[in-house]
Amino acid sequence: MPTYQEIKTTADERWQRLTAGERPWIRVGTAMCGHAAGAYEVIDALKAELEKRDINAVIDEVGCLGICYAEPLVDILKPSGSRLFFHNLTPEDVPEIIESYLVEDTVPETKVLGYMGDDPIDGVGDMNDIAGINRQLRIALRNAGNIAPNDIYQYISQGGYAGINKALTEMQPDEVIKEVTDSGLRGRGGAAFPTGVKWSFMVRSTGPKYILCNCEEGDPGAYNDKGILESDPHTLLEGLMIAGYATGSSNGIVFIRHGHDGPIDRTQEAINQAYDLGLLGENILGTDFSYDIEVALTGDSYVAGEETALMEAIEGKRAQPRFRPPFPAAFGVWGKPSTINNVKSLSYTPEIISNGAEWFSSIGVNRSTGTAILCLNGNITYPGLYEVPMGLTLGEVVNDIGGGVPNGKELKLLQTGGPLGGVLSSESMDIHLDFDEMRSAGAILGSGGIIVGDEDVCAVDLTRILVAFCQYESCGKCFPCRLGMEHLLEITERIARCESRPGDLDLMRSVGGTMETTSLCGHGQLGFGPIRSAITHFEADFISHIEEGKCPTGSCLGPKHVPKNTRPFATEFVPGGQNG
Amino acid sequence: MSITLSINANQIDAPEGSSVLDVVNISGTYISQLCKDPDMKAIGACRTCLVQIEGVRGYPASCSTPASDGMKIWTDTPELDSIRRGVVELTLSMVGENVQDGPSDFQELSVAANHYNIDKSRWEPRERETVDDSNPVFNIAMDSCILCGRCAQACQDGHQFIGAIDFLGAGQSSRIGTFMDKPLLESVCTTCGSCLASCPTGAIDVKFAPAQEIKTVTTTCPYCGVGCGIKAKVDAKDQIIEIEDDPDNLSSVGMLCVKGRFGFSFVNHEDRIKSPLIRKDGELTPVSWEEAMEYVADNLIKYRGDAFGTLASAKATNEDGYIQQKFARLIMQSNHIDHCTRLCHSPSVEAMLTALGSGATSNSYVDYEEAGCLVVVGSDATSNHPVAASRMRRAVVERGAKLIVINPRRIDMCDYADIWLRPRPGTDVALLNAMAKVILDEGLADTSFVDDRTEGFDEWREVVEKYTLEYAEGITGVRANDIANAARMYAQPPFSGSCLIWGMGVTQHTMGTANAHGLLNLAFVSGQLGKPGSGISPLRGQNNVQGCGDAGCVPNSFPGYQVLSDDTISKFENAWSNQPLPREHGLVITDMVTAMDDGRIKSMYVVGENPLLSEPDLTHAEAAFKKLDFLVVQDIFLHETAQIADVVLPATTFAEKDGTFTNSERRVQRVRKVIEPVGDSRPDWGIIGELGRRISDKLGLELKHEFDYSHPSEIFDELSGLTPIMGGITYDRLEQEGGIQWPCPTSDHPGTRYLYESDFPRGPKAKFVAFDQGPAADEVPTERFPLILNTGRILYHWHGGTITRRASNLMARSPELELAINAEDAQKYGIDDGDWVRVRSRRGDMEARALFSDKQAPGELFVPFAKLQEHAANYLTNPALDPTSRIPEYKVCAVRVDKLVNGEVVSDGRRRRVRV
């Protein structure tokens, strides 16, 4: 079994060959943003062109640099130089780029975005001048877009697995927990519970224990967990190992939603590579620590991301939440003590262990340390996956990084924290990315989704979409959530049709209150939140429907974008068993 | 230990481990609890049992909150009331428009709505799914369903472990349904009715609502040997209208199967024999009891001694059995008394008597649940002992026990198995010997158990030595590696001990006793006996087959397995008015048939048995019975044997008498009279007692007082007084404590969960008995009879079907005899799925519906031995006997199968040449 140092030496040599060897290194963004934009067609074109011209180059599929709007994003690193980035490439662009940059050694005319590196390239701007690059502070996503997720050596060459090596060789488990606690890291799944404290609940129990990593990520408009797994799965594995070592667990389970093939495949491949190098399995890196990681898949269910429903799903049952107590730390998956952490939370820990709690806690603001990993989309000029320090204002995010609302429209609202989050008006631009400040503003940072709505968005229409989603995704177990969502949708639908009845808004508040106080899990407890904030901030939209019988923007009258089925892989189903 | 807490400022004592809801219920305070079944775990879904607890934030659901000492709980604050009303009102919107006029009878939901004065929901009712009425016994009506989830819980983990129904869909399309959304009848549903029993709104309900009950009687199920507790509801017409489970019963813990819950209508069936019948001019003619009793007494007198034989009923009570053997021995001076165990577990009993000195199950169902490994051999427990099977599944699912199934058929338990061994029929000895050799070779034997508590080890070891894995693989067809893994798993389970559980697949072979010894030897060599979570369990088929043997209805021993010897004979002579008793062992049932045939037995008194359906080679058995001079049959229906009797006496069913049954785990349980006897029928103990008194008078024996009982409890007292293993059991104790497991020698003895903790009935040491594998079966396939027919039972019919054929709910579920045939074989013989076929053996034929099934290996057929539409498997079966136990080889006979069209055979039954 090689030591960490031996592995690292190999990794460094390989990195050296990649970056300063004979061959150019071409990296293509193939996270789902790139994939959707046509990255694989571009790769095919690149391969064909290189073959045609008999050019020996390395092509790697890498993750997402954050500026999704520029995908397919391709960069070429020639031996001893800087990376030259091309944006929004199509297969048709490829011959010209290869011809010009690799054959003729001149910077092409079109689709050049900028250079990245110490050596400027003539006539090309610095990538760092782009707000979407320079306002980012990437910790969990530090390698995303830079390394190939399917090459463990590239990860190690960038300092990967140094954190777990340090923990195993220099720290006791309780010191690891203390380090994570002192860093102020709070859970990025939405609840913002201190991660180190959560881990400490596990220490008391003995016997088999599990660390579960939640990548259900069923929020529409959220892709940061998947982004990490697609771009740099090893950082998650390392985080899982650190959590396992700290809590005395024997197993880690990465729980990914069925259908997210990219993250699933890349995570599984990363696990296989880690086993091959002795970074997983028995006596990791020659220490007493043994640890196994596997991928578990769920069916398409939003509630499967709820921690107890997730455990049910891992056990092979229908993903419905359990009641608490008993809490997972005492009675988790298979009845064994378990801790559930979000992908993002775990992915910070290798850097926290490597660089220390103080380094991490110096980033951010108040009790929100470190960075926020944002999925910025909707009516925004530069949608993307941005990791920024906590404490930025929403205005900085939307206007500086996102480039504001396009097409000269006015900003109307932000929907943050996923469908269980909240709705904020355009007057909220001074609110800081801070768990507590966001919560007191009636929204949550949640898992980091920010959907921007312009002046054409009607708050009633948005509400209808949110309620329809929550209704459809209610697991059906507890009465208030299943029935409350159903009737909330019924009321919202009739308001949207301008057929509301007197007292409908009060009725919504009443049933919403029942749901909040009585529901079994967060889905029902939080599901009314965004509706409440929509009614609060955009009462005028509702009043217009109710009293004037008209939709202020007309969007309620247009084609309905209500999700009937948020599960692309589910078959159409007819109630009453007429399928058979 | 108890805890004290306050509910609405009233002090309440409750047992430790209670939930807050339990305490609220103890206090008598009403609180709605729509999803919590009293007998099942909390689900936490309905959110209407909310309470406030001092020092606890919010409004926790009381069902899922553990109660602790000193808690202060409120159930009816104004906030709670408002919140709870909100949820109940939402729930009312589930059941549709009826609510607008005040909720009508949605059972527990209506009670809640009325209690909280909600007569109307503000919410629009929505369209609901259609009724699933595919099951012939009950419907699932989604328009009355509130999706509480109780039924799914009852069907699944934590209760029955069947998994036929669950939530489907999500959000407002949530509903109860089956896998792939098929009708219930096409699912794995076993119609056990646990869903129906737990439904709080009546959404799952029987097809026709039963009449109003006027009383409920707790008694014991009359079907298999599991011994489930039932609560029979009776209407004003003195008819049983509904059966409910009994959560307090220690053997069934609130579970029932389809037969127990829905198979009761035979009790009031029109076919019940309502008066005594005497054959006059060739016809069975109704007569008075007086005439019948005189006639029987006058005739039986002629056959006292060895010319008289009697069959006791494993369906009747211990008291009935005791009286019958007393009558046979004391009045008729004959030891020719036997019962159906001869046709099921006699090899087990013989082997256990030889090796251990007692013929009973050594452990309890609770040992299955605590075991680390269960080995189920030749038993389709899911069909034949459904509730025991549920407890096995609980062990596997909830506790992670290993399960090994040994069976040539792919039975349903295979779905839960870690290892399934599929030996060729009749090769179990080789398989078990090879497993033993693995245990020996790999040092997995429990050497201290072998050294201290067994004998005969060396001789046995010599025999098993030659059963190498390769040798066994050649004989059994089971892969060597699987045999080895099974042996390892059994000998060293991951936790606790290992249980060996077996059924007729082990015993009904010419090697039956050898098979049973093979199992016992495995238990001995690995020491899996005499400790919790281990043991040996022959699963008993009839409700009281254990008790019938316990009561002495066997040809070689008195009650409690007191073997005929000078000492025991004098003991009973002394107890029974110092009359001499016959001293020679009597004949077993299969030998009695031979003795009838050759004229040694001239008169038979058959009680609650139907040998002309249950004997092998029925044509031969029928001829033998017809040779009898005088045949008395005492039963509830005019079955095949009754139809050729000289006298038929109408007996009562379990529902019409008091007594006790003893189940598979040796638990003696009360049977209580539910209704008055149907027609002119009388309980068996009453009829036999009367015969005893009359014959005593006629012969001047002065034994009349020996048959004079006013209540079965007096018989039980006499039985327990003479039977040390039951010496401490009384009706009073059974009333207070529920069932008690023998041995229970004294009144302060709690009963015995498992046997053989320190020694064995035969002495300090158990005995290894070695057997070699013999011929796999008496009959092997030939060109003319190319297939092997296996017989057994199915869930919906019970044994010969005399009873279940008259239970309408069961007939609705399974009206035809179904022959399971592998599709490969079917293709060879030109048979399509659903074809009507004729099956023939050297002895007879039968007709059945062929259904494709991959449960059998190619070359093997399976048919239940129930008689349906006049067709029965035992016309075909082979009367070849196991030499030791005299059990027939029901499990293997060579047959051919032909397709029938309009009742005519259309194929020659031979293998077709298949062009390749």
Side-chain angles (χ1 to χ4, degrees), chain A residues 317-318 323 471-472 474 476-480 482-483 486-487 490 501 507 514 518 520 567 573 575-577, chain B residues 42-43 45 47 50 64 83 90-91 93-94 122-124 126 130 146-147 167 169-175:
Chain A
K317 300 179 193 154
R318 184 179 159 89
F323 51 75
Q471 183 279 126
Y472 189 86
S474 168
K477 178 173 180 176
C478 86
F479 292 20
R482 164 165 43 81
L483 294 163
E486 178 181 330
H487 293 302
E490 169 192 314
R501 301 171 190 170
L507 206 50
T514 302
T518 61
L520 178 61
R567 302 164 186 197
F573 117 91
Chain B
I43 297 177
R47 319 308 289 174
L50 307 173
S64 59
I83 292 166
L90 278 170
T91 310
S93 74
M94 294 282 291
R122 281 173 293 174
W123 309 106
E124 301 273 337
R126 71 168 161 92
T130 47
I146 56 172
L147 289 169
F167 279 78
Q172 68 178 7
S173 61
S174 304
R175 65 205 185 283

Side-chain angles (χ1 to χ4, degrees), chain B residues 702-724:
Chain B
E702 294 182 7
L703 289 171
K704 196 171 174 180
H705 62 284
E706 288 288 350
F707 292 92
D708 198 12
Y709 306 95
S710 63
H711 190 269
S713 64
E714 296 168 15
I715 306 172
F716 190 86
D717 289 344
E718 182 178 322
L719 164 67
S720 59
L722 288 166
T723 309

Side-chain angles (χ1 to χ4, degrees), chain A residues 86-101:
Chain A
F86 305 91
H87 66 92
N88 304 104
L89 277 197
T90 64
E92 291 71 38
D93 299 326
V94 168
E96 187 201 331
I97 287 170
I98 299 294
E99 167 84 28
S100 136
Y101 195 51

Side-chain angles (χ1 to χ4, degrees), chain A residues 34-92:
Chain A
H35 189 168
Y40 284 99
E41 287 77 6
V42 171
I43 289 175
D44 289 343
L46 281 167
K47 283 180 180 163
E49 195 63 26
L50 291 170
E51 194 180 347
K52 196 167 105 188
R53 297 174 183 275
D54 202 19
I55 298 172
N56 190 3
V58 179
I59 299 181
D60 266 332
E61 296 176 17
V62 299
C64 172
L65 210 55
I67 47 174
C68 304
Y69 64 88
E71 296 284 353
L73 187 65
V74 176
D75 77 272
I76 301 175
L77 173 68
K78 291 205 273 198
S80 319
S82 287
R83 299 164 73 182
L84 182 64
F85 280 83
F86 305 91
H87 66 92
N88 304 104
L89 277 197
T90 64
E92 291 71 38

Side-chain angles (χ1 to χ4, degrees), chain A residues 3 27 73 105 121-122 128 134 140 226 255 291 293 307 351 397 455 462 474 486 532 541-542 570 575:
Chain A
T3 63
R27 285 172 267 196
L73 187 65
D105 201 19
I121 297 175
D122 284 343
N128 243 328
N134 68 28
K226 294 187 280 278
F255 182 82
Y291 197 64
I293 296 180
E307 61 178 9
E351 289 292 283
V397 171
E455 61 192 53
L462 176 72
S474 168
E486 178 181 330
R532 184 202 311 281
D541 284 7
F542 285 84

Side-chain angles (χ1 to χ4, degrees), chain B residues 284-299:
Chain B
L284 285 170
T285 312
V287 296
S288 70
W289 270 107
E290 177 60 30
E291 184 182 344
M293 288 283 102
E294 272 302 295
Y295 185 67
V296 173
D298 284 340
N299 276 287

